[in-house]
Amino acid sequence: MAKMINKTLVLTYIYLLIYIILSSGVILYNKWVLSPKYFNFPLPITLTMIHMGFSGFVAFLLIRVFKVVAPVKMTFEIYATCVVPISAFFASSLWFGNTAYLHISVAFIQMLKALMPVATFIMAVICGTDKPRCDVFSNMLLVSVGVVISSYGEIHFNVVGTVYQVTGIFAEALRLVLTQVLLQKKGLTLNPINSLYYIAPCSFVFLALPWYVLEKPTMEVSQIQFNFWIFFSNALCALALNFSIFLVIGRTGAVTIRVAGVLKDWILIALSTVIFPESTITGLNITGYAIALCGVVMYNYIKVRDVKASQSTADTLPDRINKEWKMEKKSSDKFNPDDGGESLRVGAEINDEEAPLITSRLSHIGRTQLGNHAA
């Protein structure tokens, strides 16, 4: 038994390490490819379209040719009302986020990403999936103050790059909320392969219009380097990151993933200053980021506390409902009963470079029973 536990623990840490390495690698790789000082391919929309095209092609092969997984039952109504808007905001978040690399440093981008909980909370309140709360609002205020201080201390502050990054953050936040509002309420679940199969081609199409208007006119062959192996390995890293996120979600809970995310941000900030010497970090940068991080940690604590509270509420259900709920969980081969429902939240809250829609499996029957009990 002890050996089994140790083996599971070792595998969990290996998956977390793979996730941190791939996530950091994709971000640094994208910066290196896009930066005029290095590989000099300053076409973020084109790079994002390469990622989406490659991911969609691989997903097509895995589903239609090799039949690794079966496609979900996707109706035109669900595709038009759910997948299309989610893909649009997914494409927007990648477009704006990659464009920010042209103007600001990786370290400063990671500091700005501390605004993600703020953006998600605001969008959730606007869409009606969350309610304004004083405790959460105070944490959001703390995060915002920290980011402002960090921005004030940025030596190479660039308004355009900052606007791009913040816009990308809010687009990603809206994508996360729409995932919950549109797909999860319809009881539709997508594993990473199905996510890429449906979302990547649609995102590719959405990116085609801004690419045609903004980047196609500037793409003169004499000025653009194209190295097949560079772009292939870059797209392959982005694809591998998607699958690593799925493995991490299946193995860990909300707290572990959030801690890993914070650790990844610190590693990225440190590595970026070494790999890209122009990325200078000031004391005010670190002070502001530390303040923002305190707000993020407190926010994470509140979210975990809410999950535990929902667990205790579920424990008070009548025996019949409890028994059916447990049977539903056991019958699902994609839902981990040990995480107490945390993976549903984690799947909606993880956001990363090139990360598609990742949802956890929670049956419509179980949600209905909990909803009726709450009512």
PDB file of all heavy atoms in Angstrom, residues 79-92:
ATOM      1  N   TYR A  79     -22.691  23.859 -31.403  1.00  0.00           N
ATOM      2  CA  TYR A  79     -21.463  24.388 -32.004  1.00  0.00           C
ATOM      3  C   TYR A  79     -21.580  25.896 -32.236  1.00  0.00           C
ATOM      4  O   TYR A  79     -20.644  26.649 -31.935  1.00  0.00           O
ATOM      5  CB  TYR A  79     -21.192  23.683 -33.340  1.00  0.00           C
ATOM      6  CG  TYR A  79     -19.835  23.989 -33.913  1.00  0.00           C
ATOM      7  CD1 TYR A  79     -18.711  23.264 -33.531  1.00  0.00           C
ATOM      8  CD2 TYR A  79     -19.665  25.029 -34.834  1.00  0.00           C
ATOM      9  CE1 TYR A  79     -17.458  23.550 -34.042  1.00  0.00           C
ATOM     10  CE2 TYR A  79     -18.416  25.325 -35.351  1.00  0.00           C
ATOM     11  CZ  TYR A  79     -17.315  24.587 -34.951  1.00  0.00           C
ATOM     12  OH  TYR A  79     -16.084  24.893 -35.449  1.00  0.00           O
ATOM     13  N   ALA A  80     -22.727  26.334 -32.756  1.00  0.00           N
ATOM     14  CA  ALA A  80     -22.901  27.745 -33.089  1.00  0.00           C
ATOM     15  C   ALA A  80     -23.013  28.617 -31.845  1.00  0.00           C
ATOM     16  O   ALA A  80     -22.496  29.739 -31.810  1.00  0.00           O
ATOM     17  CB  ALA A  80     -24.132  27.922 -33.980  1.00  0.00           C
ATOM     18  N   THR A  81     -23.694  28.122 -30.824  1.00  0.00           N
ATOM     19  CA  THR A  81     -23.950  28.951 -29.639  1.00  0.00           C
ATOM     20  C   THR A  81     -22.904  28.792 -28.539  1.00  0.00           C
ATOM     21  O   THR A  81     -22.818  29.632 -27.651  1.00  0.00           O
ATOM     22  CB  THR A  81     -25.339  28.630 -29.053  1.00  0.00           C
ATOM     23  OG1 THR A  81     -25.387  27.235 -28.684  1.00  0.00           O
ATOM     24  CG2 THR A  81     -26.437  28.924 -30.057  1.00  0.00           C
ATOM     25  N   CYS A  82     -22.120  27.722 -28.583  1.00  0.00           N
ATOM     26  CA  CYS A  82     -21.144  27.472 -27.518  1.00  0.00           C
ATOM     27  C   CYS A  82     -19.700  27.496 -28.024  1.00  0.00           C
ATOM     28  O   CYS A  82     -18.894  28.307 -27.578  1.00  0.00           O
ATOM     29  CB  CYS A  82     -21.423  26.131 -26.842  1.00  0.00           C
ATOM     30  SG  CYS A  82     -23.040  26.024 -26.053  1.00  0.00           S
ATOM     31  N   VAL A  83     -19.403  26.598 -28.962  1.00  0.00           N
ATOM     32  CA  VAL A  83     -18.022  26.462 -29.428  1.00  0.00           C
ATOM     33  C   VAL A  83     -17.539  27.713 -30.146  1.00  0.00           C
ATOM     34  O   VAL A  83     -16.408  28.162 -29.928  1.00  0.00           O
ATOM     35  CB  VAL A  83     -17.889  25.230 -30.347  1.00  0.00           C
ATOM     36  CG1 VAL A  83     -16.483  25.146 -30.935  1.00  0.00           C
ATOM     37  CG2 VAL A  83     -18.200  23.962 -29.568  1.00  0.00           C
ATOM     38  N   VAL A  84     -18.384  28.301 -30.986  1.00  0.00           N
ATOM     39  CA  VAL A  84     -17.968  29.471 -31.770  1.00  0.00           C
ATOM     40  C   VAL A  84     -17.584  30.660 -30.881  1.00  0.00           C
ATOM     41  O   VAL A  84     -16.497  31.209 -31.021  1.00  0.00           O
ATOM     42  CB  VAL A  84     -19.058  29.856 -32.797  1.00  0.00           C
ATOM     43  CG1 VAL A  84     -18.746  31.211 -33.431  1.00  0.00           C
ATOM     44  CG2 VAL A  84     -19.160  28.786 -33.882  1.00  0.00           C
ATOM     45  N   PRO A  85     -18.449  31.096 -29.933  1.00  0.00           N
ATOM     46  CA  PRO A  85     -18.035  32.233 -29.092  1.00  0.00           C
ATOM     47  C   PRO A  85     -16.842  31.922 -28.200  1.00  0.00           C
ATOM     48  O   PRO A  85     -15.980  32.785 -27.984  1.00  0.00           O
ATOM     49  CB  PRO A  85     -19.292  32.537 -28.259  1.00  0.00           C
ATOM     50  CG  PRO A  85     -20.149  31.329 -28.339  1.00  0.00           C
ATOM     51  CD  PRO A  85     -19.848  30.698 -29.660  1.00  0.00           C
ATOM     52  N   ILE A  86     -16.762  30.692 -27.682  1.00  0.00           N
ATOM     53  CA  ILE A  86     -15.615  30.319 -26.856  1.00  0.00           C
ATOM     54  C   ILE A  86     -14.338  30.353 -27.687  1.00  0.00           C
ATOM     55  O   ILE A  86     -13.298  30.852 -27.246  1.00  0.00           O
ATOM     56  CB  ILE A  86     -15.830  28.924 -26.233  1.00  0.00           C
ATOM     57  CG1 ILE A  86     -16.909  28.996 -25.156  1.00  0.00           C
ATOM     58  CG2 ILE A  86     -14.532  28.379 -25.636  1.00  0.00           C
ATOM     59  CD1 ILE A  86     -17.343  27.647 -24.625  1.00  0.00           C
ATOM     60  N   SER A  87     -14.406  29.845 -28.913  1.00  0.00           N
ATOM     61  CA  SER A  87     -13.247  29.862 -29.806  1.00  0.00           C
ATOM     62  C   SER A  87     -12.831  31.283 -30.148  1.00  0.00           C
ATOM     63  O   SER A  87     -11.634  31.582 -30.266  1.00  0.00           O
ATOM     64  CB  SER A  87     -13.563  29.099 -31.098  1.00  0.00           C
ATOM     65  OG  SER A  87     -13.883  27.755 -30.838  1.00  0.00           O
ATOM     66  N   ALA A  88     -13.811  32.168 -30.303  1.00  0.00           N
ATOM     67  CA  ALA A  88     -13.505  33.563 -30.647  1.00  0.00           C
ATOM     68  C   ALA A  88     -12.691  34.228 -29.539  1.00  0.00           C
ATOM     69  O   ALA A  88     -11.674  34.898 -29.807  1.00  0.00           O
ATOM     70  CB  ALA A  88     -14.799  34.333 -30.896  1.00  0.00           C
ATOM     71  N   PHE A  89     -13.109  34.044 -28.299  1.00  0.00           N
ATOM     72  CA  PHE A  89     -12.382  34.670 -27.188  1.00  0.00           C
ATOM     73  C   PHE A  89     -11.068  33.945 -26.904  1.00  0.00           C
ATOM     74  O   PHE A  89     -10.098  34.556 -26.454  1.00  0.00           O
ATOM     75  CB  PHE A  89     -13.261  34.722 -25.943  1.00  0.00           C
ATOM     76  CG  PHE A  89     -14.337  35.763 -26.026  1.00  0.00           C
ATOM     77  CD1 PHE A  89     -15.665  35.402 -26.249  1.00  0.00           C
ATOM     78  CD2 PHE A  89     -14.028  37.107 -25.908  1.00  0.00           C
ATOM     79  CE1 PHE A  89     -16.655  36.364 -26.351  1.00  0.00           C
ATOM     80  CE2 PHE A  89     -15.007  38.087 -26.008  1.00  0.00           C
ATOM     81  CZ  PHE A  89     -16.331  37.709 -26.227  1.00  0.00           C
ATOM     82  N   PHE A  90     -11.028  32.648 -27.176  1.00  0.00           N
ATOM     83  CA  PHE A  90      -9.776  31.903 -27.045  1.00  0.00           C
ATOM     84  C   PHE A  90      -8.744  32.430 -28.041  1.00  0.00           C
ATOM     85  O   PHE A  90      -7.588  32.704 -27.694  1.00  0.00           O
ATOM     86  CB  PHE A  90     -10.045  30.415 -27.268  1.00  0.00           C
ATOM     87  CG  PHE A  90      -8.816  29.551 -27.186  1.00  0.00           C
ATOM     88  CD1 PHE A  90      -7.951  29.633 -26.106  1.00  0.00           C
ATOM     89  CD2 PHE A  90      -8.533  28.647 -28.191  1.00  0.00           C
ATOM     90  CE1 PHE A  90      -6.824  28.827 -26.018  1.00  0.00           C
ATOM     91  CE2 PHE A  90      -7.406  27.829 -28.117  1.00  0.00           C
ATOM     92  CZ  PHE A  90      -6.548  27.928 -27.028  1.00  0.00           C
ATOM     93  N   ALA A  91      -9.173  32.613 -29.298  1.00  0.00           N
ATOM     94  CA  ALA A  91      -8.288  33.152 -30.325  1.00  0.00           C
ATOM     95  C   ALA A  91      -7.834  34.568 -29.969  1.00  0.00           C
ATOM     96  O   ALA A  91      -6.662  34.923 -30.150  1.00  0.00           O
ATOM     97  CB  ALA A  91      -9.001  33.146 -31.682  1.00  0.00           C
ATOM     98  N   SER A  92      -8.759  35.364 -29.438  1.00  0.00           N
ATOM     99  CA  SER A  92      -8.418  36.740 -29.066  1.00  0.00           C
ATOM    100  C   SER A  92      -7.382  36.784 -27.948  1.00  0.00           C
ATOM    101  O   SER A  92      -6.435  37.577 -27.993  1.00  0.00           O
ATOM    102  CB  SER A  92      -9.681  37.490 -28.629  1.00  0.00           C
ATOM    103  OG  SER A  92     -10.631  37.534 -29.659  1.00  0.00           O
TER     104      SER A  92
END
